[in-house]
Amino acid sequence: MDSARIATVSRTPLRALATEAVHAGRDDLARQGLHAPPIDLSTTYPSYDSRGEAARIDAFAATGAEPDGPPVYGRLGNPTVARFETALARLERTEAAVAFASGMAALTAVLLVRASLGLRHVVAVRPLYGCSDHLLTAGLLGTEVTWTNPAGVADALRPDTGLVLVESPANPTLAEIDLRALAHSCGSVPLLADNTFATPVLQRPAEHGARLVLHSATKYLGGHGDVMAGVVACDEEFAGHLRQVRFATGGVLHPLAGYLLLRGLATLPVRVRAASANAAELARRLAADPRVTRVHYPRIGGAMVAFEVDGDPHGVIERVRLITPAVSLGSVDTLIQHPASISHRIVDAEDRRGAGVSDRLLRLSVGLEDVEDLWTDLDTALESPVRAAGLY
């Protein structure tokens, strides 16, 4: 974010979430005679002032602050992507946000920033998204991880601990963590809270002490299953380091994706609230159904439901017709998947089960369809009580 963007963000008064979702990142459009945000697809930008370019690149190398003036090169930043970053920072109530080509690219950048300071140790709480778990456990970036529960975070910290990582609600069990208490336990170590499931509509982790807020923007922020992206909302100092890593590694977000994400944010509050109402009703019905042994639905609400069946979970996947059996989540249509087979398959089976991801668990991302149609599909897909009891 260049100095002009920082000044603009700091001068703009905080507005209601629904207003920010519609207007943040677009505040300058009317002055330009525009209504819809433009898409800037340029990879490079002309400049006849090579001395000035050198000074701006030197400034970026020193701090990671976005260069003042016109863009330089697509890997340093893009005006369309910058609009999305500005808007997401406003929604999360942080100084800045830095977008990446995927959620995993965003998490990788955070780990690389901390590792560059010699802080390679990570404290993490399971469950996490399966690929996040794998990235830490496999040590692919030279990191070392200590897994613990929230109460054990303070005792797990070491002099070389660079990060504490949690999801709340967690993927896929929807377990919730007291983020304020956890941030206190972290001391001076940055807390990264994955807010993908809750979105800023339901919670803002930065207001509870998290220094870093991670989103797989592929999910609710985009909201239509047609864009892949990740973003970290944070303070400006950390954002500068993230931009430097993004420039060096090339994990940049395409401008078209930035445009789609900015458009998705405009309807985020409406989509999340409507889908959450559907999810709460489905969770209520599933909890009362004898074919379901357990339902996971967070106190905070949201559009995600997880439930364990008494029968064969794979049969439920095979029998749905309206609901789409697919990975990912947060789209306008309802998706179902079996975490032990797909999203968390890469996690060691013992670790997976120890984190509450049972082999009978199904994860439902509830969309915007009529709730009665969704229930009819689920009711048909669930095994009958007789078959579920094993009386074949």
Side-chain angles (χ1 to χ4, degrees):
M1 182 182 296
D2 62 32
S3 58
R5 279 179 64 198
I6 296 170
T8 300
V9 170
S10 63
R11 286 197 306 266
T12 305
L14 291 179
R15 303 170 292 201
L17 179 80
T19 304
E20 291 288 17
V22 172
H23 290 281
R26 304 168 178 83
D27 300 276
D28 64 323
L29 293 180
R31 294 190 299 274
Q32 299 183 55
L34 299 172
H35 182 240
I39 305 175
D40 188 329
L41 295 173
S42 295
T43 57
T44 192
Y45 299 85
S47 173
Y48 293 95
D49 181 9
S50 56
R51 294 184 182 87
E53 292 288 86
R56 294 202 296 155
I57 291 173
D58 285 347
F60 176 83
T63 66
E66 288 191 323
D68 291 326
V72 177
Y73 184 56
R75 200 149 38 85
L76 277 101
N78 171 273
T80 306
V81 173
R83 290 183 181 277
F84 163 66
E85 293 172 331
T86 296
L88 194 276
R90 294 286 296 182
L91 291 178
E92 285 289 4
R93 300 291 194 257
T94 58
E95 292 179 349
V98 183
F100 293 85
S102 70
M104 291 307 301
L107 177 57
T108 295
V110 172
L111 295 172
L112 289 175
V113 167
R114 302 306 284 165
S116 70
L117 301 174
L119 303 172
R120 296 182 176 274
H121 179 241
V122 177
V123 176
V125 177
R126 280 190 172 117
L128 296 176
Y129 168 52
C131 288
S132 299
D133 189 306
H134 177 67
L135 181 65
L136 295 175
T137 303
L140 295 174
L141 301 177
T143 55
E144 179 186 351
V145 61
T146 297
W147 297 101
T148 185
N149 57 41
V153 165
D155 290 337
L157 299 178
R158 306 188 325 205
D160 64 338
T161 302
L163 191 70
V164 175
L165 174 58
V166 299
E167 292 180 9
S168 184
N171 185 356
T173 65
L174 304 177
E176 294 173 274
I177 293 173
D178 184 336
L179 293 176
R180 190 176 300 278
L182 186 61
H184 179 74
S185 299
C186 293
S188 61
V189 177
L191 170 62
L192 185 154
D194 188 321
N195 203 32
T196 299
F197 277 22
T199 80
V201 177
L202 300 179
Q203 73 178 4
R204 298 186 184 100
E207 294 179 346
H208 300 286
R211 185 178 180 188
L212 307 164
V213 182
L214 174 70
H215 286 272
S216 173
T218 308
K219 313 311 195 285
Y220 289 104
L221 302 190
H224 293 75
D226 56 7
V227 59
M228 183 170 289
V231 63
V232 180
C234 56
D235 57 78
E236 176 58 29
E237 179 186 0
F238 205 101
H241 297 307
L242 289 173
R243 293 186 198 106
Q244 289 176 317
V245 169
R246 182 176 65 182
F247 174 74
T249 60
V252 296
L253 183 65
H254 192 275
L256 180 57
Y259 171 84
L260 291 172
L261 287 167
L262 184 65
R263 188 173 69 170
L265 288 185
T267 59
L268 178 67
V270 176
R271 287 187 287 103
V272 168
R273 288 167 181 152
S276 297
N278 278 350
E281 176 60 19
L282 292 178
R284 185 189 68 79
R285 297 187 188 191
L286 288 166
D289 196 299
R291 298 165 294 181
V292 176
T293 60
R294 187 178 181 186
V295 174
H296 307 256
Y297 189 66
R299 292 186 302 275
I300 199 174
M304 300 298 298
V305 180
F307 61 98
E308 299 173 42
V309 296
D310 195 33
D312 178 14
H314 302 286
V316 178
I317 297 290
E318 293 169 358
R319 287 187 290 271
V320 292
R321 292 297 178 264
L322 175 65
I323 298 169
T324 302
V327 298
S328 199
L329 55 107
S331 186
V332 291
D333 61 320
T334 300
L335 309 177
I336 192 169
Q337 65 120 319
H338 182 239
S341 295
I342 305 179
S343 63
H344 289 71
R345 188 66 180 179
I346 201 168
V347 180
D348 177 80
E350 184 176 345
D351 292 335
R352 187 171 66 231
R353 295 177 187 125
V357 186
S358 79
D359 291 342
R360 292 182 182 268
L361 183 74
L362 293 167
R363 192 191 73 185
L364 192 67
S365 170
V366 182
L368 302 180
E369 302 95 338
D370 186 278
V371 72
E372 296 299 335
D373 290 330
L374 291 173
W375 177 248
T376 297
D377 197 39
L378 275 176
D379 185 41
T380 302
L382 288 165
E383 286 191 303
S384 70
V386 172
R387 288 182 60 84
L391 302 178
Y392 299 103

